[in-house]
Amino acid sequence: MSVESVFPRLEALLPKVQKPIQYVGGELNSTVKDWDEADVRWALMYPDAYEVGLPNQGVAILYEILNELPDTLAERTYSVWPDLEALMREHGVPQFTVDGHRPVRAFDVLGLSFSTELGYTNMLTALDLAGIPLHAAERGDDDPIVLAGGHAAFNPEPIADFLDAAVLGDGEQIAIAITEVIREWKREGSPGGRDELLMRLAESGGVYVPKFYDVEYHADGRIKRVAPNRPDVPWRVHKHTVMDLDEWPYPKKPLVPLAETVHERFSVEIFRGCTRGCRFCQAGMITRPVRERSITTIGAMVENGIKESGFNEVGLLSLSSADHSEIGEVAKGLADRYEGTNTSLSLPSTRVDAFNIDLANEFSRNGRRSGLTFAPEGGSERMRKVINKMVTEEDLIRTVTTAYSQGWRQVKLYFMCGLPTERDEDVLGIADLAKKVIQAGREATGSRDIRCTVSIGGFVPKPHTPFQWAAQADHETVDRRLKELRDVVRNDRQYGRAIGFRYHDGKPSIVEGLLSRGDRRVGAVIRAVWEDGGRFDGWSEHFSFDRWMTGAEKAGVDVDWYTTREREENEVLPWDHLDAGLDREWLWQDWQDAVNETEVEDCRWTPCYDCGVCPTMGTEIQIGPTGRKLLPLTVV
């Protein structure tokens, strides 16, 4: 039975809202399939505004893969701004997809991709606008399965009450598997209703269904155990890992936005995973092992993506793109191919110790020379040992000196404040480092026209990292240290004007910390904040720390207990039953190494140091060189 588009009702509201173009759909390479010819239907959501959500690689890849399947359709939905939300409530317009403008509640699955925990309140807005009960326990057979994925789904416990299911890891293969389970269940006549479908998904061990697990607590609030409450449900749920990225060269037809978005380029993920071992980095830990795309697949994806989209910038993405074993050949091959065209290349993620000037020159050959960004993360040598960011001051100065001498004038340095074991002098060391960078640039060029921008974020301990046991710094300490650092920079007459200073205050980090390491009791806080008007918490102009503290008070949740408290080795953590492949004993040992300021090598180039991922997941590190060339070699 066909589902009607809500666009006739929506269209009348659009002249009354900001950026109405973001709601109309019809982008180049978007897909609208016949509703009646599909028997499994996905609504894919990035729970943020269109301008942030459309460039998201995860949603774009799944959108394309699912729409390639016969008898399956996928459409996209994004968070609506408060102005349209109010009008939708007033006129009875439900949460809709931007492709067919179909009501989200009509789909079989609402799949949400969370890259940050601050999107949780936006999920509740979407569910409420869609007419889907907020709590999974209250949903009926006519409601879609609400399914979470993305990096923030590696601890879905704070939103467990609102989710039917969650998936850990790479989505390409499991999305197809879930589709087939739903298809088979529907063709059988939906036996056993919603509960039976969730049971079929859970039995495989590849989909986490929170309702099938009970949580018991000690009297002091710590978790006693998490246990299945059904006989066929596994004790641990494992992450998914795609081992041959060359088999999944997506996106093949990138979406081209109608409205301005945060990234307007064609992005190719050149490898997945990272083994550098930065102890703060959840993404590096949960995406192991390293799996490279071959140089020939990268070349073919770039060629096809430009042809299909018309984008004139190509971003080569990964957690540390310059670490690809053939990055030099990739850069030269692409620069040769697109020389003289308006196509520019970018490498958004570069480590200080992986940077070389030949690489930078190749990437700037066809485009403008933008600033270079490096992330020392810690302001002192001691802090960089604690976090296992093996970058010395000499490395940084040598790198920026070379860059300045080769014509660059702007360098951006990224740091974190509030790291474990951090002291005041570690943060003030950021000012000394920035001054040395400016001085090196002036000496290398003989010019005073040198800039260095220092950008600082608050550190949040994340699940599945060595710092998952660490106490988070309170926001008063973070703000005090940042104020002292700002004053030191501003009061320096010789260098102060050449140093830009950007930082986030410590309060949003505390809320993110509550959500990242929270358990099911934190769900009541999220709901209280949402009911009090919480929306778009990842946007500084919408975020309210007071609203979150009031919500925690209403829910009877002690924020400090979840954030600034250090955990003991044997404490059961809310995500311990969710397996990212990492050996818990190895993580604890790495935490002890951090406290002792001991560095650990990258296992890509050294013998295995037993993090546990490869044997646990049945995977292995996959790196080149392949010895192949970027083909075709003809210039475009």
Side-chain angles (χ1 to χ4, degrees), residues 330-466:
V330 169
K332 185 177 188 313
L334 290 174
D336 285 346
R337 179 186 287 176
Y338 296 104
E339 186 163 20
T341 72
N342 67 344
T343 301
S344 63
L345 307 169
S346 64
L347 204 65
S349 174
T350 311
R351 286 177 59 100
V352 172
D353 49 351
F355 175 86
N356 68 68
I357 205 67
D358 293 335
L359 189 62
N361 283 331
E362 294 292 5
F363 277 99
S364 63
R365 202 199 303 176
N366 298 325
R368 61 187 179 84
R369 226 172 228 213
S370 56
L372 295 170
T373 300
F374 302 108
E377 310 288 1
S380 68
E381 201 95 356
R382 187 188 76 82
M383 277 316 308
R384 291 191 289 276
K385 287 181 178 178
V386 169
I387 63 179
N388 206 44
K389 189 86 175 187
M390 292 179 281
V391 174
T392 65
E393 185 177 297
E394 290 74 22
D395 288 335
L396 179 63
I397 298 303
R398 183 171 58 250
T399 297
V400 298
T401 299
T402 306
Y404 285 133
S405 66
Q406 293 291 315
W408 273 270
R409 291 294 176 265
Q410 175 99 1
V411 167
K412 183 176 180 181
L413 303 178
Y414 182 80
F415 298 90
M416 284 187 288
C417 182
L419 289 159
T421 79
E422 182 182 271
R423 301 191 282 258
D424 289 5
E425 56 265 32
D426 295 313
V427 177
L428 294 177
I430 295 172
D432 294 332
L433 206 52
K435 293 173 190 176
K436 289 175 181 176
V437 165
I438 295 295
Q439 181 61 32
R442 289 175 177 175
E443 290 176 358
T445 63
S447 167
R448 296 183 66 83
D449 181 26
I450 296 294
R451 293 280 300 166
C452 172
T453 299
V454 170
S455 182
I456 308 176
F459 168 69
V460 179
K462 294 285 186 176
H464 306 286
T465 71

Side-chain angles (χ1 to χ4, degrees), residues 81 169 247 297 330 337 428 440 450 459 519 522 532 581:
W81 284 110
E247 289 184 0
T297 298
V330 169
R337 179 186 287 176
L428 294 177
I450 296 294
F459 168 69
D519 53 39
V522 173
D532 194 29

Side-chain angles (χ1 to χ4, degrees), residues 490-506:
R490 285 181 176 174
N491 294 335
D492 191 295
R493 293 185 177 181
Q494 189 174 3
Y495 299 106
R497 289 187 178 181
I499 301 172
F501 192 66
R502 297 176 185 168
Y503 65 93
H504 302 287
D505 66 64

Side-chain angles (χ1 to χ4, degrees), residues 85-206:
E85 180 193 338
L87 288 168
M88 287 166 67
R89 293 189 185 281
E90 181 184 344
H91 295 275
V93 176
Q95 180 79 22
F96 56 88
T97 60
V98 295
D99 299 290
H101 294 94
R102 290 155 172 159
V104 164
R105 187 168 182 262
F107 288 76
D108 296 305
V109 187
L110 171 58
L112 296 116
S113 179
F114 289 106
S115 53
T116 169
E117 297 86 358
L118 294 174
Y120 291 162
T121 49
N122 282 357
M123 172 186 67
L124 296 188
T125 303
L127 291 174
D128 192 54
L129 285 172
I132 301 168
L134 297 188
H135 281 261
E138 298 169 5
R139 292 177 196 140
D141 290 350
D142 291 335
D143 293 305
I145 299 297
V146 179
L147 173 75
H151 287 184
F154 272 78
N155 176 27
E157 292 301 280
I159 51 173
D161 288 345
F162 314 120
L163 295 179
D164 293 299
V167 168
L168 280 60
D170 299 337
E172 289 93 335
Q173 292 163 323
I174 187 62
I176 295 173
I178 290 171
T179 301
E180 294 311 312
V181 171
I182 295 171
R183 191 189 322 280
E184 183 179 339
W185 172 76
K186 290 180 74 174
R187 284 178 178 171
E188 291 174 10
S190 308
R194 181 185 200 84
D195 209 55
E196 168 67 17
L197 174 57
L198 291 171
M199 193 66 200
R200 292 187 186 189
L201 292 171
E203 284 174 344
S204 67

Side-chain angles (χ1 to χ4, degrees), residues 28 34 130 164 185 219 233 261 265 297 323 352 373 409 426 448 466 482 495 528 539 553 557 560 581 619:
L28 179 65
D34 188 300
D164 293 299
W185 172 76
V233 174
T261 58
R265 63 187 178 211
T297 298
D323 281 342
V352 172
T373 300
R409 291 294 176 265
D426 295 313
R448 296 183 66 83
L482 290 174
Y495 299 106
W539 297 66
E553 193 176 334
V557 166
D560 290 345
T619 57

Side-chain angles (χ1 to χ4, degrees), residues 294-340:
S294 67
I295 184 172
T296 45
T297 298
I298 293 168
M301 288 179 70
V302 170
E303 182 180 35
N304 179 72
I306 291 172
K307 181 182 72 176
E308 294 289 348
S309 69
F311 281 123
N312 60 9
E313 181 183 346
V314 177
L316 302 183
L317 304 186
S318 79
L319 292 174
S320 182
S321 296
D323 281 342
H324 191 287
S325 61
E326 294 182 297
I327 191 62
E329 293 87 345
V330 169
K332 185 177 188 313
L334 290 174
D336 285 346
R337 179 186 287 176
Y338 296 104
E339 186 163 20

